[in-house]
Amino acid sequence: MDSSLASMEDSPTSPLKAFATFLIRHHSDQLRSIAHSPDPKLHYPLFVEFAELMDDDPPLARLLFSRPTDYLRVFDDAAVWAHMIILGDSKGSMNGVKKDFIHVRINVTGSPLEFPETFPSIGSVRVKHHGVLLTLKGTVIRSGAIKMYEGERWYICRKCKHKFPVYPELETRNSIQLPSFCPSQRSKPCEGKSFECLEGSVVRHDYQEIKIQESTQVLGVGSIPRSVLIILKDDLVDLVKAGDDVIVSGVLSAKWSPDLKDVRCDLDPMLIANHVRRTNELKAEVDIPDDIIMQFTQFWSDFKDTPLKGRNAILRGICPQVFGLFTVKLAVALTLIGGVQHVDISGTKVRGESHLLLVGDPGTGKSQFLKFAAKLSNRSVITTGLGSTSAGLTVAAVKDGGEWMLEAGALVLADGGLCCIDEVDSMREHDRATIHEAMEQQTISVAKAGLVTTLSTRTIVFGATNPKGQYDPEQPLSVNTTLSGPLLSRFDIVLVLLDTKNPEWDAVVSSHILYESEQEKGKRDNDLSNNWPLTMLRRYIQFVKGYFRPVLTQEAEQIISNYYQLQRRSAMDNAARTTVRMLESLIRLAQAHARLMFRNEVTRLDAITAILCIESSMMTSALVDSVGNALHSNFTENPDEEYAKQEILILDKLKSVDE
């Protein structure tokens, strides 16, 4: 390598020199930190903005874009050279170590390479994209095992003793092609044909194959999402896992498909990655600006005297196209916010995520809520019961190049987010059983094809189902929905939406739907007291989840405990729901409500709201008769006064437990 560096240094306008100069001028801090890192064998990334290179040296940027295969190697050499110059300058001040492996990672964000020509969708990648710096966006659906491969070898010509590197070709499964004669560029050609591999000159790299699939949101009409193989090397391996949204820049190449008898050999496209950026991480750990947090604080100080009116203003922003359904909107908000995970001394976890099930007649807006909840969550997967198998929900074992590997299913892809399952009743019984463990223990244990493992699924499950035939209020939920008791007990809230004929309600709903387009025109202002847009709602949920860790007060504990005891006494016909899980559900919902109300302690108000939510899902053994049908629950004019009446009612009922 040193001899090649020396020869390239001689030419005054060499790309190597130009790029090394650019690095020293703009990235000396990164080079200095690399130089002072102690381990010489590690592979170090050096991040360069393409837009910055474009401003500084357009011809160099053009070379990099049009011939990345050659010039990315040159740039890596330039980075090694530049760090040695920095090392030489700072030898007196600090001890640095010479590094052999520095990889320049080109970030194309904000540069002209973000135009559709060089940023196509995965389905529109064509031969014309071969050999240029290309950027693709998608979701990781499979991440392979990390392997090692031979990156380069140095050979010496036996005739003239010239040393030169040979790079294996990824396209032909890393086979090494030796040149036909000596490549030394002397005045008199050597033409030697006998080469010898230098001892200890083999460089090995980490290597991982992942598969990314284009996002369904950006697809055209009737398109099926396509996927492409991505090859990650060195410091890029293990950066992403299944379910992550990524933007990958690299060089499009092709891989020979395996030799199968009587089958024509094809070239499969693959992208050799140079830079990988996770976008869902940016969404999940979104930095909410201080002015937005000030808006939230100001909003709650405005509603200091009528906090429930403030809460209802937020809830109106959830699925605004559906009229009323206050109970459902509250349940969706509490489910998405969730409680606090509790880990005891022995390491046993009590989950913080809540699960919600909507049971309702056709046309009551169940799927609308599922779709809207998916938009509110940073990471979400929507699936229907009929099209889901147990392998599709959990994990599938697939054979790839002679070895078995696991491909993530819906629940694993939604880890840390939301999994919406529509038509839960149309799932097969044994497929339904696979989500039991995922919902309660938040893991999936797999033993398939010699792969025995446990995957984490810290996900919220939001289900929707139709009742079996006409809903019979006299019968327990498990009979009406054909869902088993163990599954029902895992849902924190089960809301029953019955389409009973109510002329007054129908008149109100029809007028709302007909005049909604008129109202939309007046909703363009940014006043949070009456209009919460989707982006603001998403930020609010994100903020309260990350910022508040509510603790139960003594009074709230007492109320929840009394209610649980009362339900245990009276629940003869609804035994599937009144298990110890119900007590945990009450705590989670009370904590979620405290977060929704923008505070860090669970008060009597939160405990009673949690009880009202569970009441709505009890139907048969409800304590408060004023709950009624969740479908006809509307936003009241004075929620605080309404709540005061319900509080007195519930506290009176709960007093009997103490006596």
Side-chain angles (χ1 to χ4, degrees):
M1 187 185 284
D2 295 340
S3 60
S4 64
L5 277 174
S7 63
M8 291 185 93
E9 280 174 47
D10 298 338
S11 58
T13 55
S14 75
L16 182 88
K17 195 164 190 175
F19 193 67
T21 313
F22 166 78
L23 285 180
I24 291 169
R25 206 164 50 236
H26 293 280
H27 296 279
S28 54
D29 292 346
Q30 280 194 67
L31 287 166
R32 206 168 282 117
S33 67
I34 289 171
H36 294 144
S37 298
D39 193 340
K41 290 185 179 175
L42 279 182
H43 291 258
Y44 293 90
L46 179 70
F47 297 100
V48 172
E49 300 284 336
F50 189 81
E52 194 179 19
L53 180 65
M54 190 100 183
D55 290 344
D56 193 77
D57 194 339
L60 200 61
R62 201 174 299 115
L63 275 176
L64 176 66
F65 166 68
S66 57
R67 290 168 58 197
T69 316
D70 303 328
Y71 281 98
L72 282 172
R73 273 188 200 140
V74 173
F75 282 13
D76 289 359
D77 291 345
V80 172
W81 182 33
H83 107 277
M84 280 158 61
I85 293 170
I86 294 248
L87 203 61
D89 292 346
S90 64
K91 256 188 179 154
S93 58
M94 279 181 82
N95 295 326
V97 182
K98 183 189 164 198
K99 309 293 182 304
D100 293 331
F101 309 111
I102 301 175
H103 304 285
V104 174
R105 303 293 177 208
I106 308 288
N107 184 5
V108 298
T109 313
S111 73
L113 294 195
E114 284 200 311
F115 285 109
E117 272 302 297
T118 51
F119 199 160
S121 64
I122 293 171
S124 54
V125 170
R126 300 288 181 267
V127 173
K128 66 177 180 180
H129 295 116
H130 181 270
V132 297
L133 196 64
L134 184 70
T135 308
L136 296 176
K137 183 180 184 179
T139 307
V140 181
I141 55 168
R142 179 198 297 179
S143 57
I146 295 171
K147 301 171 184 172
M148 280 165 79
Y149 94 110
E150 225 172 76
E152 63 186 71
R153 285 180 173 206
W154 283 78
Y155 281 84
I156 186 166
C157 171
R158 284 184 174 146
K159 189 174 175 186
C160 70
K161 300 292 184 257
H162 170 68
K163 295 176 186 173
F164 58 93
V166 176
Y167 299 97
E169 292 183 350
L170 279 172
E171 292 85 346
T172 54
R173 310 227 196 109
N174 301 344
S175 61
I176 284 187
Q177 296 286 329
L178 285 174
S180 49
F181 55 85
C182 177
S184 65
Q185 295 173 341
R186 298 181 181 180
S187 51
K188 191 181 175 192
C190 156
E191 294 185 358
K193 293 183 181 176
S194 177
F195 310 114
E196 185 184 347
C197 181
L198 281 171
E199 191 97 2
S201 69
V202 178
V203 178
R204 291 182 175 83
H205 297 265
D206 291 321
Y207 169 94
Q208 184 187 21
E209 290 184 7
I210 63 168
K211 207 173 203 178
I212 67 168
Q213 179 179 291
E214 60 193 320
S215 167
T216 44
Q217 280 89 11
V218 295
L219 287 182
V221 181
S223 304
I224 290 171
R226 307 280 170 83
S227 57
V228 69
L229 193 69
I230 308 281
I231 287 177
L232 306 177
K233 296 193 286 192
D234 301 318
D235 54 295
L236 296 179
V237 300
D238 234 11
L239 268 188
V240 294
K241 52 185 188 304
D244 286 340
D245 295 327
V246 292
I247 295 176
V248 187
S249 307
V251 187
L252 187 71
S253 184
K255 184 181 184 182
W256 293 103
S257 58
D259 306 327
L260 297 171
K261 199 180 174 192
D262 301 332
V263 176
R264 191 175 162 209
C265 188
D266 292 324
L267 284 162
D268 297 331
M270 65 174 182
L271 190 80
I272 300 168
N274 170 261
H275 182 269
V276 176
R277 188 162 63 97
R278 270 166 60 180
T279 51
N280 65 321
E281 177 186 51
L282 306 175
K283 257 197 302 187
E285 296 162 14
V286 66
D287 290 331
I288 296 166
D290 290 340
D291 58 323
I292 300 282
I293 298 169
M294 286 296 292
Q295 268 182 279
F296 295 155
T297 319
Q298 183 59 44
F299 172 81
W300 282 108
S301 64
D302 292 349
F303 286 100
K304 193 163 74 251
D305 302 326
T306 53
L308 292 181
K309 204 164 188 178
R311 179 199 70 185
N312 288 7
I314 297 174
L315 295 182
R316 274 197 185 90
I318 293 177
C319 222
Q321 71 272 29
V322 177
F323 177 72
L325 268 69
F326 162 73
T327 317
V328 187
K329 292 181 180 182
L330 176 62
V332 169
L334 295 186
T335 306
L336 286 173
I337 291 171
V340 183
Q341 188 183 32
H342 170 65
V343 184
D344 65 11
I345 306 158
S346 64
T348 309
K349 288 179 185 171
V350 176
R351 65 183 160 94
E353 282 76 17
S354 305
H355 303 307
L356 170 64
L357 178 68
L358 298 181
V359 181
D361 294 325
T364 48
K366 301 185 299 295
S367 299
Q368 292 273 16
F369 280 107
L370 253 71
K371 292 271 192 320
F372 195 84
K375 282 184 199 164
L376 279 178
S377 181
N378 293 324
R379 196 167 169 168
S380 56
V381 176
I382 299 183
T383 170
T384 55
L386 202 59
S388 305
T389 60
S390 56
L393 277 172
T394 55
V395 67
V398 289
K399 202 163 193 178
D400 183 45
E403 62 174 314
W404 286 95
M405 61 196 299
L406 294 176
E407 201 161 283
L411 287 164
V412 180
L413 288 175
D415 184 21
L418 173 75
C419 182
C420 300
I421 306 174
D422 209 346
E423 313 275 347
V424 182
D425 55 329
S426 50
M427 284 168 73
R428 291 193 295 274
E429 187 58 47
H430 73 274
D431 290 340
R432 237 180 273 154
T434 59
I435 64 174
H436 284 188
E437 184 195 355
M439 286 174 74
E440 194 59 45
Q441 274 72 43
Q442 300 200 314
T443 56
I444 286 174
S445 304
V446 186
K448 292 181 180 185
L451 300 162
V452 182
T453 182
T454 301
L455 305 163
S456 66
T457 56
R458 296 176 301 277
T459 173
I460 301 163
V461 175
F462 186 170
T465 176
N466 293 328
K468 188 188 69 175
Q470 188 67 39
Y471 191 92
D472 182 3
E474 300 300 313
Q475 295 289 346
L477 261 173
S478 50
V479 173
N480 276 306
T481 58
T482 68
L483 297 178
S484 60
L487 187 58
L488 280 174
S489 72
R490 283 168 165 82
F491 285 104
D492 294 39
I493 309 176
V494 180
L495 290 180
V496 180
L497 307 173
L498 296 184
D499 194 5
T500 50
K501 308 287 181 287
N502 183 335
E504 295 166 20
W505 178 257
D506 294 344
V508 174
V509 171
S510 57
S511 64
H512 169 78
I513 290 169
L514 292 168
Y515 290 114
E516 194 183 28
S517 54
E518 295 297 316
Q519 294 168 352
E520 278 300 308
K521 291 169 190 168
K523 277 191 176 179
R524 297 288 147 88
D525 57 343
N526 285 331
D527 181 18
L528 288 184
S529 57
N530 56 18
N531 173 32
W532 278 71
L534 174 70
T535 49
M536 207 62 169
L537 210 53
R538 177 192 250 166
R539 278 174 161 175
Y540 182 75
I541 289 173
Q542 199 60 51
F543 177 70
V544 295
K545 271 175 88 169
Y547 189 74
F548 293 110
R549 292 272 176 279
V551 181
L552 268 78
T553 56
Q554 194 70 41
E555 189 180 20
E557 267 182 35
Q558 191 62 47
I559 291 171
I560 288 172
S561 167
N562 287 1
Y563 177 73
Y564 172 66
Q565 289 171 43
L566 193 60
Q567 279 294 356
R568 288 289 285 178
R569 284 182 204 170
S570 60
M572 297 317 294
D573 52 351
N574 213 345
R577 296 275 296 128
T578 51
T579 61
V580 179
R581 287 190 181 133
M582 188 181 128
L583 184 59
E584 289 171 4
S585 297
L586 280 162
I587 295 166
R588 269 194 294 275
L589 294 173
Q591 287 171 337
H593 194 263
R595 278 175 167 174
L596 177 63
M597 301 297 284
F598 213 68
R599 52 166 192 260
N600 238 336
E601 64 169 21
V602 180
T603 59
R604 184 201 315 181
L605 164 71
D606 305 317
I608 287 176
T609 311
I611 288 171
L612 288 170
C613 273
I614 295 271
E615 283 286 295
S616 310
S617 65
M618 278 301 168
M619 287 301 285
T620 47
S621 56
L623 299 177
V624 187
D625 301 325
S626 62
V627 172
N629 185 353
L631 183 68
H632 295 169
S633 57
N634 200 356
F635 288 83
T636 50
E637 273 302 308
N638 292 314
D640 295 86
E641 290 173 22
E642 188 72 28
Y643 163 76
K645 293 177 198 166
Q646 290 175 332
E647 183 183 283
I648 294 163
L649 250 168
I650 286 182
L651 290 176
D652 280 351
K653 292 268 173 71
L654 295 180
K655 269 179 192 161
S656 61
V657 177
D658 291 336
E659 293 158 10

